[in-house]
Amino acid sequence: MGCSKNLYDSEILMGQFKANDVPLTDDPRKANVLIVNTCGFITPAKQESIGAILEAGQLKKENPGTKLLVCGCLSQRYQPDLRKDIPEVDEYFGTEEFSNILEYLNLTPKSPQHLYETRCLSQKQHYAYLKISEGCNHKCAFCAIPLMRGMHRSRPLEDIVGEARMLAEKGAKELILIAQDTTFYGLDLYKKQRLVDLVHRLEALEGIEWIRLHYAYPTTFQPELAEAMAGSSKIVHYVDMPIQHISDKVLKIMKRGGTSSKIRQIFSDLRNRLPDIALRTTFLVGHPGENEKDFEILKDFVREIGFDRMGVFTYSPEENTSAFSLPHPSEEIAEQRYNQLMNIQQEISLVKNEKKVGETFRVLIDEVDNSNNTAIGRTYADSPEIDNEVIIEDIQKGIKAGDFCNVKITDAREYEIFGKILEG
């Protein structure tokens, strides 16, 4: 359940099972051990995770002898409550308790110093998430992630490069770097930021063609990163920087540590240095202290910047965070603000996509449907599952997932564009 970081953890655990010759099944009714890797980020995610646990509990009732284990963020944060409220679960584990799960099942942890060596990719083979650190040192008022994932812990650079090399050997062409704050990377371990050093090491790997950066943080973003992008043929011109708000008052209440002028300067510098940069961000509406004036400031900012990609969340009060006890706009108001902001972004996205008609882009193919002679792919400006798609019609035989193709755009919608592959 939850984010790509949880998916990465699940792939590490799956690899450990395979290394122990334990077969995996995607049919829970055939399994004798069910494991739910939960998310505890915000209320809807927690509800979804609890629903998955209860569903697995029902399967356990129908198949006596089945073991049910729960791990991940929700379990890390609410384990005592979960043990009391859902006793049919055989055992609960927190985050990163891979060895404990294996030992509970009388299995042997493999490669304990380099768990990535046995990692089992669960999705496409041509792209892979690469987690470069764990935890977070920021004290955002609304966020419970440090309570679940702990303080920031950078992985050794050599370990990350080793995993990337392994992924390339398995066929990965795109590496998607993830962490709670990728731009913080190295400060704890090396006493200085080393993300630029890391991406230079990764771009030297044979087989890797795209390197994508997620979850940059405004106060730790380095100008040197834009220089690295400008000088590289592999680091795609794409930055995902969740900024949450632009009102200085709300940013202060959120304890984000930055200012609106600093954020504007970052985006301005990026676009001046890299005119084709794809900017993705995330906003949080309905936070304590956000009034109509603050929201109008935010709407004006979204129109001003014209983000290429944008996500919006509504505020969810989280226990033990500093914002939890503060009064906040009603859920109805937060939902209205969510809809207004997404409507603005929908208009921006349509205009940007329509401008692509007639242009040609290098597209990475994600899926092929030979029965309809169609394929789905992505440009450099699109991360899998969260961004736009390229729908390609009348594909030639032999096109497969993982191929790069030059595609001429023929039509556009708000969140997808259409095109045909250029021959030759």
Side-chain angles (χ1 to χ4, degrees), residues 264-284:
R264 281 185 164 88
Q265 189 64 53
I266 291 173
F267 290 141
S268 175
D269 290 347
L270 279 169
R271 282 190 166 154
N272 286 335
R273 187 66 185 87
L274 303 163
D276 64 340
I277 187 79
L279 297 177
R280 160 171 270 281
T281 196
T282 305
F283 292 112
L284 178 59

Side-chain angles (χ1 to χ4, degrees), residues 14-24 102 107-108 110 118:
M14 288 165 58
Q16 288 286 293
F17 285 133
K18 285 204 168 185
N20 276 272
D21 298 319
V22 175
L24 303 174
L102 292 163
L107 300 172
T108 304
K110 305 292 185 181
T118 58

Side-chain angles (χ1 to χ4, degrees), residues 292-331:
E292 282 300 325
K293 181 180 178 181
D294 299 310
F295 183 59
E296 289 299 321
I297 290 172
L298 179 56
K299 288 196 296 183
D300 290 343
F301 176 72
V302 170
R303 295 188 183 101
E304 170 195 338
I305 299 296
F307 289 98
D308 300 274
R309 312 287 181 253
M310 190 186 85
V312 182
F313 290 95
T314 57
Y315 174 69
S316 172
E318 297 298 322
E319 301 94 335
N320 299 315
T321 61
S322 60
F324 179 66
S325 59
L326 299 177
H328 57 88
S330 67
E331 291 184 13

Side-chain angles (χ1 to χ4, degrees), residues 194-213:
R194 295 200 62 186
L195 182 58
V196 173
D197 294 338
L198 175 60
V199 294
H200 282 321
R201 289 287 301 277
L202 296 177
E203 66 181 341
L205 296 177
E206 185 177 351
I208 299 301
E209 299 195 43
W210 279 359
I211 300 169
R212 186 180 302 278
L213 301 176

Side-chain angles (χ1 to χ4, degrees), residues 56-302:
Q58 184 60 39
L59 288 174
K60 180 185 174 182
K61 289 180 182 178
E62 297 171 4
N63 298 280
T66 299
K67 291 276 189 186
L68 174 55
L69 311 182
V70 172
C71 61
C73 290
L74 187 75
S75 184
Q76 176 81 22
R77 189 177 176 195
Y78 296 107
Q79 197 165 134
D81 294 332
L82 290 170
R83 287 183 185 277
K84 177 183 176 182
D85 295 339
I86 314 180
E88 57 265 40
V89 173
D90 291 286
E91 190 55 273
Y92 289 91
F93 300 90
T95 59
E96 300 181 284
E97 288 194 57
F98 311 119
S99 296
N100 292 343
I101 293 173
L102 292 163
E103 290 169 4
Y104 178 84
L105 296 171
N106 297 314
L107 300 172
T108 304
K110 305 292 185 181
S111 305
Q113 298 303 314
H114 301 283
L115 286 173
Y116 68 81
E117 292 176 353
T118 58
R119 179 182 170 190
C120 176
L121 296 180
S122 61
Q123 297 188 315
K124 309 290 190 300
Q125 296 293 309
H126 60 273
Y127 70 83
Y129 295 101
L130 184 58
K131 184 156 67 169
I132 65 174
S133 63
E134 185 56 272
C136 186
N137 281 12
H138 300 294
K139 304 294 184 183
C140 300
F142 54 85
C143 185
I145 286 174
L147 301 174
M148 299 178 285
R149 292 281 182 173
M151 300 297 283
H152 186 103
R153 304 179 304 284
S154 297
R155 292 179 58 191
L157 191 147
E158 294 299 332
D159 278 8
I160 300 172
V161 174
E163 180 173 4
R165 183 178 295 110
M166 178 207 72
L167 293 169
E169 291 170 353
K170 287 186 174 183
K173 297 181 179 180
E174 177 183 13
L175 298 177
I176 305 169
L177 273 55
I178 55 173
Q180 293 307 135
D181 174 3
T182 53
T183 40
F184 194 98
Y185 175 75
L187 271 174
D188 57 321
L189 192 60
Y190 303 110
K191 310 308 177 188
K192 64 177 183 177
Q193 292 171 261
R194 295 200 62 186
L195 182 58
V196 173
D197 294 338
L198 175 60
V199 294
H200 282 321
R201 289 287 301 277
L202 296 177
E203 66 181 341
L205 296 177
E206 185 177 351
I208 299 301
E209 299 195 43
W210 279 359
I211 300 169
R212 186 180 302 278
L213 301 176
H214 273 288
Y215 316 126
Y217 199 88
T219 59
T220 54
F221 188 85
Q222 293 177 287
E224 293 85 352
L225 201 52
E227 294 301 316
M229 289 182 179
S232 172
S233 62
K234 293 187 177 184
I235 309 171
V236 296
H237 295 180
Y238 175 104
V239 170
D240 182 351
M241 184 185 294
I243 61 173
Q244 308 306 348
H245 219 281
I246 199 60
S247 160
D248 281 314
K249 186 193 84 178
V250 177
L251 288 171
K252 186 175 181 179
I253 295 171
M254 287 180 167
K255 299 183 179 180
R256 292 289 290 172
T259 64
S260 61
S261 61
K262 174 64 175 177
I263 291 169
R264 281 185 164 88
Q265 189 64 53
I266 291 173
F267 290 141
S268 175
D269 290 347
L270 279 169
R271 282 190 166 154
N272 286 335
R273 187 66 185 87
L274 303 163
D276 64 340
I277 187 79
L279 297 177
R280 160 171 270 281
T281 196
T282 305
F283 292 112
L284 178 59
V285 295
H287 190 276
E290 183 193 57
N291 58 28
E292 282 300 325
K293 181 180 178 181
D294 299 310
F295 183 59
E296 289 299 321
I297 290 172
L298 179 56
K299 288 196 296 183
D300 290 343
F301 176 72
V302 170

Side-chain angles (χ1 to χ4, degrees), residues 376-392:
I376 298 175
R378 292 176 288 114
T379 70
Y380 76 92
D382 303 295
S383 200
E385 299 181 356
I386 60 171
D387 289 331
N388 289 8
E389 294 179 330
V390 183
I391 312 299
I392 307 166

